[in-house]
Amino acid sequence: MTIRQAFFRSALIIILCSVGFMYSQSDSVFKQVEEAVAASVKEGVQVGNEATSFELTTLGGETVALNDYHGTPVVINFFATWCPPCQEEMPVIVEMEKRLTNQGAKFIAVNMTSQETSKAEVTPFLKHFGANFDVLLDESGDVMDTYQIIGIPTTIVIDENGIIVQRINGGLSYSMMEDIYLFR
């Protein structure tokens, strides 16, 4: 073996060892980047924010927290029974709830109970539209304030990582439902 061949073999071994070392370190670099991105996501109520958690009671008396569904995509719909756009979109909401459930996602309807004449109006409203889901009651208006609900209905789509990916202010139509992130 010549000196030249020995040199090239030595250089090749050094290069291979260097590549192996860099490859072994790349995992920690990717982990650092992932942690930096996660740290940059702030909690809030707008698209791109980590959804602010809340806890409310259902019509059936069960306490439900948004954090209970972390790891699962969630669609939240804020509505009131007296609201004409809410009434118009309710058949779409009933269909959307069925489709989301079939896909393994979670649908949460939040009634703006603090804006209702009476909590007793909610059950007949749901029955009229054939809605079989239990509704969360925002009796104090705190969730409405936290989520900056100015007009209703408002629909918020949260991905499995807890990040708000869509916010739809106003009523949904069937074609708008198809454009929701989870149905694409």
Side-chain angles (χ1 to χ4, degrees):
M1 180 178 348
T2 67
I3 294 177
R4 187 175 181 174
Q5 287 176 329
F7 174 76
F8 282 123
R9 283 186 182 173
S10 297
L12 182 61
I13 289 171
I14 290 172
I15 290 171
L16 289 173
C17 288
S18 298
V19 168
F21 176 75
M22 288 189 294
Y23 179 76
S24 71
Q25 296 303 306
S26 66
D27 186 43
S28 66
V29 170
F30 289 128
K31 190 178 219 177
Q32 289 172 354
V33 169
E34 187 176 292
E35 288 171 359
V37 168
S40 70
V41 175
K42 301 210 181 321
E43 187 178 276
V45 297
Q46 300 300 327
V47 172
N49 293 146
E50 182 177 348
T52 300
S53 188
F54 58 84
E55 187 175 284
L56 293 171
T57 304
T58 67
L59 271 171
E62 178 185 351
T63 300
V64 175
L66 181 59
N67 281 346
D68 294 344
Y69 304 109
H70 193 75
T72 303
V74 177
V75 174
I76 306 171
N77 178 261
F78 294 90
F79 77 99
T81 61
W82 52 263
C83 158
C86 300
Q87 296 166 6
E88 289 175 26
E89 85 164 354
M90 193 50 67
V92 177
I93 295 300
V94 169
E95 176 65 25
M96 183 172 58
E97 186 272 338
K98 290 176 187 171
R99 289 181 60 188
L100 288 168
T101 301
N102 288 339
Q103 289 183 356
K106 181 66 181 164
F107 175 77
I108 299 174
V110 178
N111 175 258
M112 305 285 76
T113 315
S114 64
Q115 306 298 306
E116 298 281 2
T117 306
S118 168
K119 170 168 77 170
E121 297 173 1
V122 179
T123 300
F125 176 82
L126 295 171
K127 284 183 181 178
H128 173 76
F129 290 103
N132 295 319
F133 45 83
D134 204 359
V135 173
L136 300 181
L137 304 173
D138 185 13
E139 296 184 74
S140 66
D142 289 343
V143 176
M144 180 179 79
D145 291 342
T146 299
Y147 269 80
Q148 301 168 5
I149 306 299
I150 296 169
I152 48 176
T154 297
T155 302
I156 296 175
V157 182
I158 303 169
D159 71 10
E160 60 278 356
N161 298 311
I163 305 301
I164 297 173
V165 293
Q166 282 180 295
R167 182 179 175 117
I168 303 156
N169 298 314
L172 287 175
S173 64
Y174 284 102
S175 62
M176 290 172 74
M177 178 180 70
E178 294 301 326
D179 194 41
I180 287 181
Y181 163 79
L182 300 173
F183 294 132
R184 291 184 197 156

